[in-house]
Short mmCIF file of all heavy atoms in Angstrom, two decimals:
data_model
loop_
_atom_site.label_atom_id
_atom_site.label_comp_id
_atom_site.label_asym_id
_atom_site.label_seq_id
_atom_site.Cartn_x
_atom_site.Cartn_y
_atom_site.Cartn_z
N VAL A 99 8.18 -9.47 -14.28
CA VAL A 99 7.53 -9.46 -15.60
C VAL A 99 8.06 -8.30 -16.45
O VAL A 99 8.42 -8.47 -17.62
CB VAL A 99 6.01 -9.37 -15.45
CG1 VAL A 99 5.34 -9.17 -16.82
CG2 VAL A 99 5.46 -10.62 -14.78
N GLY A 100 8.12 -7.11 -15.86
CA GLY A 100 8.58 -5.94 -16.61
C GLY A 100 10.03 -6.04 -17.02
O GLY A 100 10.40 -5.64 -18.14
N ALA A 101 10.88 -6.57 -16.14
CA ALA A 101 12.31 -6.69 -16.46
C ALA A 101 12.53 -7.67 -17.60
O ALA A 101 13.30 -7.39 -18.54
CB ALA A 101 13.07 -7.14 -15.22
N VAL A 102 11.88 -8.82 -17.55
CA VAL A 102 12.05 -9.82 -18.62
C VAL A 102 11.50 -9.29 -19.94
O VAL A 102 12.14 -9.43 -20.99
CB VAL A 102 11.34 -11.13 -18.21
CG1 VAL A 102 11.33 -12.11 -19.39
CG2 VAL A 102 12.04 -11.77 -17.02
N ALA A 103 10.32 -8.65 -19.89
CA ALA A 103 9.71 -8.13 -21.11
C ALA A 103 10.57 -7.02 -21.72
O ALA A 103 10.80 -7.00 -22.94
CB ALA A 103 8.31 -7.61 -20.82
N GLY A 104 11.07 -6.12 -20.91
CA GLY A 104 11.85 -5.00 -21.42
C GLY A 104 13.24 -5.39 -21.89
O GLY A 104 13.76 -4.80 -22.84
N TYR A 105 13.84 -6.37 -21.24
CA TYR A 105 15.21 -6.75 -21.60
C TYR A 105 15.26 -7.60 -22.87
O TYR A 105 16.09 -7.37 -23.75
CB TYR A 105 15.87 -7.50 -20.45
CG TYR A 105 17.30 -7.88 -20.71
CD1 TYR A 105 18.31 -6.94 -20.61
CD2 TYR A 105 17.64 -9.18 -21.08
CE1 TYR A 105 19.64 -7.28 -20.86
CE2 TYR A 105 18.96 -9.54 -21.31
CZ TYR A 105 19.96 -8.58 -21.21
OH TYR A 105 21.27 -8.93 -21.46
N TYR A 106 14.35 -8.59 -22.96
CA TYR A 106 14.41 -9.50 -24.10
C TYR A 106 13.60 -9.01 -25.30
O TYR A 106 13.90 -9.37 -26.43
CB TYR A 106 13.90 -10.88 -23.67
CG TYR A 106 14.86 -11.60 -22.75
CD1 TYR A 106 14.58 -11.71 -21.39
CD2 TYR A 106 16.04 -12.14 -23.22
CE1 TYR A 106 15.46 -12.35 -20.54
CE2 TYR A 106 16.93 -12.79 -22.36
CZ TYR A 106 16.63 -12.89 -21.03
OH TYR A 106 17.50 -13.52 -20.17
N SER A 107 12.58 -8.20 -25.05
CA SER A 107 11.68 -7.67 -26.09
C SER A 107 11.21 -8.81 -27.01
O SER A 107 11.08 -9.95 -26.59
CB SER A 107 12.38 -6.54 -26.87
OG SER A 107 13.49 -7.04 -27.60
N GLY A 108 10.93 -8.52 -28.28
CA GLY A 108 10.50 -9.56 -29.21
C GLY A 108 9.23 -10.26 -28.78
O GLY A 108 8.32 -9.66 -28.22
N TRP A 109 9.19 -11.57 -29.05
CA TRP A 109 7.98 -12.33 -28.73
C TRP A 109 7.76 -12.45 -27.23
O TRP A 109 6.60 -12.56 -26.78
CB TRP A 109 8.05 -13.72 -29.38
CG TRP A 109 9.08 -14.64 -28.76
CD1 TRP A 109 10.35 -14.82 -29.14
CD2 TRP A 109 8.87 -15.51 -27.64
NE1 TRP A 109 10.99 -15.73 -28.33
CE2 TRP A 109 10.09 -16.18 -27.40
CE3 TRP A 109 7.79 -15.79 -26.81
CZ2 TRP A 109 10.26 -17.10 -26.38
CZ3 TRP A 109 7.93 -16.72 -25.78
CH2 TRP A 109 9.16 -17.36 -25.58
N VAL A 110 8.84 -12.43 -26.45
CA VAL A 110 8.70 -12.48 -25.00
C VAL A 110 7.95 -11.24 -24.50
O VAL A 110 7.01 -11.33 -23.69
CB VAL A 110 10.08 -12.58 -24.32
CG1 VAL A 110 9.93 -12.52 -22.80
CG2 VAL A 110 10.80 -13.85 -24.74
#
Side-chain angles (χ1 to χ4, degrees):
V99 173
V102 172
Y105 182 78
Y106 289 106
S107 65
W109 70 267
V110 176

